[in-house]
Amino acid sequence: MTPPLSPPSLLPLLLVAFNICFSLAASNSVYESFVQCLKTRSNSSDNISDIVYSHSNATYETVLEQYIRNARFNTSSTPKPVIIITPLTESHVSAAVICSNNIGFQLRIRSGGHDFEGVSYVSDQPFFILDMFNLRSISINMADQSVWVQSGATLGELYYRIWEKSKVYGFPAGVCPTVGVGGHISGAGYGNMVRKYGLSVDYVVDAKIVDVNGNILDRKAMGEDLFWAIRGGGGASFGVILAFNIKLVDVPETVTVFKLERTLEQNATDVVYKWQSVAPTTDDNLFMRMLVQPVTLNKQKTIKISIMALYLGDVNSVVPLLAEDFPELGLVTEDCFEMSWIESALWWASFGKGTSPAVLLDRESYHVKFMKRKSDYVKTPISKDGLQWLWKKMIELEEPGLVFNPYGGKMNEIKETETPFPHRAGNLFKIQYSINWKDMGIEADKRSRSLVNRLHSYMTSFVSKNPRSAYLNYRDLDIGITKNWSYQEGKVYGESYFNGNFERLVDVKTAVDPHNFFRNEQSIPPRTIKAWNEKNEGSIPPSTSKAWNKSKPYVMIILFMAIGHII
């Protein structure tokens, strides 16, 4: 006789049941109601049905998977959206916000899909996706070196369009070309010019956002508090970012890049120890990222470090600079390559020499893999004894790696309250924890995440404390999530990402979205939801309960069917 199933054994079936339930919730009535609402609030000539996809649409899966950049969130058990909206105009975005709110479904906003935890396209409640990839216009005004860039544009497209207009201007942002502008900049945005120019948000002078009421607001209309919040506080907590107006920065006609590798047998420990004091303090034109990886060479386990650098100048300047500041590195002219700024963007994105800049327009060049990322900040150098202990732990773990990104320079000059991003002066470097894997399934996921979590735990004594700080754009749900959208839940991860700026973000959220329509697992909570939860003992907030009531009958039917089948 087959023994009865224990409660844990039912969990996968329950998850499947909920997924099916969400699919059923996208019935003709929900789809038709949403489309009809969009039609009434958009231009009558718009073919609305062409931008709204339900499960019954033949291209639904293609549209959904097109911008999933982490294979962890592209499985059969991953919750899928009831509807995907792909707006072509700003009015479509405005209408989508109003109609989603009226119907009672969560709205997840996706600009590029690179959020490491998939919060822009996954939810455990009935939800819609507002995918911004069609809104990608880039308008450059060389008279004042400013650019209006829509949130669905990628960094690669932005760099390419700047290069088309000028060879002596650039923009300080990330090195991965397929990252969406909307999420990158609203989460602060940094790249290999961070020491010279600071963050992407430090060059935002205006923005356009759709608020919870569907209003399209620029900087003047939204006010300085909201404008402050969306420059590093995560735009998806406050509305839908339509576009940013950014200022360009000067870049020389010739820049220099180099990559050097060392192992423990090649004095890597001395190099890493010295890097901690040099990389954040050397010439502001020099950015030296360092990768630390456990490897096996000649059947021997060791640590390999790789230093990748961008110098905003020529080779004849950087080689003598590092000969004086960092002789342990042993940089020589033959290690360096001079090129234009746009060519350096290709080099950092791992494109080969001679690759046309047009490849930056390719949105399909990103290889999707299973991954997990975490982050930390270091304020004091790690001793040589500490590094040697760390190497042993990394060799034992075998797979997770570290990426050290130096600060200093311009980052020391900007107050931590200037934007929501607080990690400025006093931080030597930021750490990214990284692990990738190929195998599908729960066991592979658990194993890999456990390895990187152990490495993160080993680093506790070396990194910032009270709070242990983290970087929002390296999203990590292990820090904490909100289930009831309460202030106390939000404070756990909010103070890690934003330190003392969290309280001001909560105030802005309370003012512009008091009923918490724009939310995800790590969104900024309004104080009003805290009061509502306390009064109602943590039950589902009003905007969520609408969708739950629509789906509840389907949930019960599917659960009974599933349980009946098991029995």
Side-chain angles (χ1 to χ4, degrees):
M1 180 177 177
T2 303
L5 291 173
S6 61
S9 301
L10 286 172
L11 183 58
L13 288 170
L14 295 180
L15 291 174
V16 171
F18 274 107
N19 278 333
I20 297 173
C21 147
F22 295 162
S23 297
L24 289 174
S27 61
N28 287 337
S29 60
V30 173
Y31 175 81
E32 291 299 333
S33 296
F34 185 78
V35 168
Q36 187 57 42
C37 179
L38 282 183
K39 286 181 178 179
T40 62
R41 295 184 175 277
S42 302
N43 190 307
S44 58
S45 64
D46 292 345
N47 193 353
I48 294 299
S49 59
D50 288 345
I51 66 167
V52 182
Y53 301 82
S54 70
H55 288 267
S56 61
N57 191 294
T59 55
Y60 169 89
E61 287 191 8
T62 301
V63 174
L64 174 62
E65 295 175 4
Q66 186 175 10
Y67 293 101
I68 292 178
R69 303 303 191 190
N70 189 341
R72 287 175 57 204
F73 306 110
N74 191 19
T75 68
S76 59
S77 61
T78 303
K80 307 298 192 293
V82 174
I83 288 174
I84 305 171
I85 310 109
T86 59
L88 296 170
T89 67
E90 293 181 349
S91 65
H92 288 162
V93 178
S94 178
V97 169
I98 294 171
C99 295
S100 300
N101 205 352
N102 287 347
I103 293 174
F105 279 78
Q106 272 198 54
L107 190 65
R108 295 296 170 104
I109 306 153
R110 182 165 73 174
S111 64
H114 276 270
D115 52 327
F116 289 135
E117 297 283 18
V119 298
S120 65
Y121 52 88
V122 177
S123 174
D124 60 1
Q125 297 177 13
F127 71 108
F128 299 158
I129 289 179
L130 183 65
D131 201 318
M132 303 291 285
F133 67 86
N134 285 320
L135 294 176
R136 60 175 82 170
S137 73
I138 299 171
S139 177
I140 300 177
N141 182 352
M142 290 311 302
D144 64 358
Q145 294 84 53
S146 69
V147 182
W148 271 108
V149 53
Q150 288 188 309
S151 62
T154 65
L155 295 182
E157 290 168 342
L158 176 61
Y159 297 158
Y160 182 85
R161 298 306 176 196
I162 295 171
W163 171 75
E164 281 186 317
K165 296 288 186 179
S166 171
K167 306 303 183 279
V168 292
Y169 286 102
F171 185 68
V175 299
C176 181
T178 56
V179 169
V181 164
H184 185 72
I185 295 182
S186 68
Y190 88 101
N192 53 24
M193 294 196 289
V194 66
R195 301 192 62 254
K196 176 69 173 182
Y197 289 116
L199 305 171
S200 302
V201 288
D202 297 330
Y203 298 87
V204 173
V205 294
D206 204 344
K208 283 178 136 184
I209 186 173
V210 174
D211 71 6
V212 71
N213 298 312
N215 300 313
I216 298 175
L217 310 173
D218 61 8
R219 177 176 182 173
K220 182 178 180 180
M222 76 177 75
E224 288 303 302
D225 285 338
L226 180 53
F227 183 65
W228 173 85
I230 63 174
R231 290 180 296 132
S237 288
F238 306 96
V240 182
I241 305 295
L242 293 172
F244 286 108
N245 187 215
I246 58 175
K247 297 289 286 186
L248 301 179
V249 300
D250 297 323
V251 294
E253 291 187 6
T254 300
V255 304
T256 304
V257 300
F258 65 81
K259 180 178 180 179
L260 292 176
E261 296 180 343
R262 300 285 186 271
T263 64
L264 295 184
E265 295 71 31
Q266 297 169 321
N267 215 26
T269 301
D270 290 339
V271 172
V272 175
Y273 179 72
K274 185 65 175 286
W275 178 95
Q276 296 177 96
S277 58
V278 173
T281 60
T282 189
D283 190 312
D284 294 353
N285 290 296
L286 179 60
F287 174 86
M288 294 187 289
R289 168 179 283 180
M290 182 164 62
L291 287 67
V292 183
Q293 300 166 292
V295 296
T296 299
L297 298 174
N298 300 321
K299 298 182 180 181
Q300 180 178 353
K301 294 181 178 180
T302 186
I303 293 292
K304 181 180 75 173
I305 65 164
S306 305
I307 295 180
M308 299 177 63
L310 171 69
Y311 178 70
L312 299 174
D314 60 30
V315 65
N316 293 327
S317 299
V318 70
V319 170
L321 169 69
L322 288 181
E324 181 176 347
D325 287 359
F326 201 177
E328 293 85 351
L329 188 60
L331 181 72
V332 295
T333 300
E334 290 73 23
D335 297 321
C336 302
F337 301 92
E338 291 185 336
M339 57 187 64
S340 65
W341 178 75
I342 197 68
E343 289 173 327
S344 76
L346 295 170
W347 185 85
W348 276 85
S350 301
F351 291 111
K353 183 178 181 181
T355 301
S356 168
V359 74
L360 296 172
L361 303 176
D362 182 7
R363 290 169 169 248
E364 306 302 320
S365 61
Y366 184 83
H367 176 65
V368 178
K369 50 188 173 285
F370 295 91
M371 67 176 75
K372 173 67 181 178
R373 301 291 188 266
K374 305 175 81 68
S375 61
D376 260 320
Y377 287 90
V378 175
K379 296 178 179 293
T380 57
I382 303 171
S383 68
K384 285 189 179 180
D385 287 343
L387 290 173
Q388 290 167 348
W389 177 85
L390 177 60
W391 305 154
K392 292 179 183 178
K393 294 299 183 182
M394 293 186 71
I395 289 171
E396 289 173 6
L397 295 176
E398 294 186 334
E399 295 179 34
L402 303 173
V403 183
F404 292 2
N405 294 283
Y407 276 12
K410 186 70 173 181
M411 292 293 279
N412 287 344
E413 301 173 13
I414 301 174
K415 293 181 180 179
E416 65 179 26
T417 56
E418 186 70 21
T419 68
F421 180 93
H423 316 297
R424 304 278 192 167
N427 292 286
L428 297 178
F429 56 96
K430 172 172 59 185
I431 297 177
Q432 181 189 73
Y433 300 79
S434 174
I435 190 167
N436 302 328
W437 64 97
K438 297 179 181 178
D439 296 333
M440 297 181 62
I442 295 175
E443 290 305 315
D445 184 273
K446 287 175 59 178
R447 176 185 175 277
S448 297
R449 292 171 64 185
S450 174
L451 289 174
V452 76
N453 284 338
R454 286 169 60 188
L455 180 55
H456 184 262
S457 177
Y458 293 150
M459 292 293 292
T460 302
S461 62
F462 302 131
V463 300
S464 61
K465 300 170 180 64
N466 303 316
R468 183 171 182 170
S469 296
Y471 176 41
L472 179 65
N473 275 356
Y474 290 168
R475 178 86 67 180
D476 179 12
L477 296 186
D478 296 337
I479 296 172
I481 61 173
T482 178
K483 296 180 179 179
N484 297 312
W485 299 281
S486 70
Y487 167 83
Q488 290 300 331
E489 288 176 325
K491 187 175 182 179
V492 174
Y493 55 82
E495 290 190 339
S496 290
Y497 291 135
F498 307 112
N499 293 12
N501 291 333
F502 173 69
E503 293 297 334
R504 184 178 175 187
L505 287 169
V506 172
D507 289 339
V508 175
K509 173 71 170 182
T510 304
V512 302
D513 185 21
H515 298 295
N516 205 25
F517 173 70
F518 294 109
R519 63 185 186 275
N520 58 52
E521 288 77 6
Q522 286 190 338
S523 55
I524 301 297
R527 299 187 194 280
T528 51
I529 292 295
K530 172 194 174 187
W532 196 94
N533 276 334
E534 290 176 348
K535 180 180 178 181
N536 295 275
E537 298 181 349
S539 56
I540 301 174
S543 58
T544 306
S545 62
K546 291 180 186 178
W548 167 246
N549 287 333
K550 291 177 185 292
S551 305
K552 184 163 56 178
Y554 296 106
V555 176
M556 300 309 297
I557 291 170
I558 296 301
L559 288 180
F560 281 126
M561 288 174 63
I563 294 170
H565 179 72
I566 294 167
I567 295 172

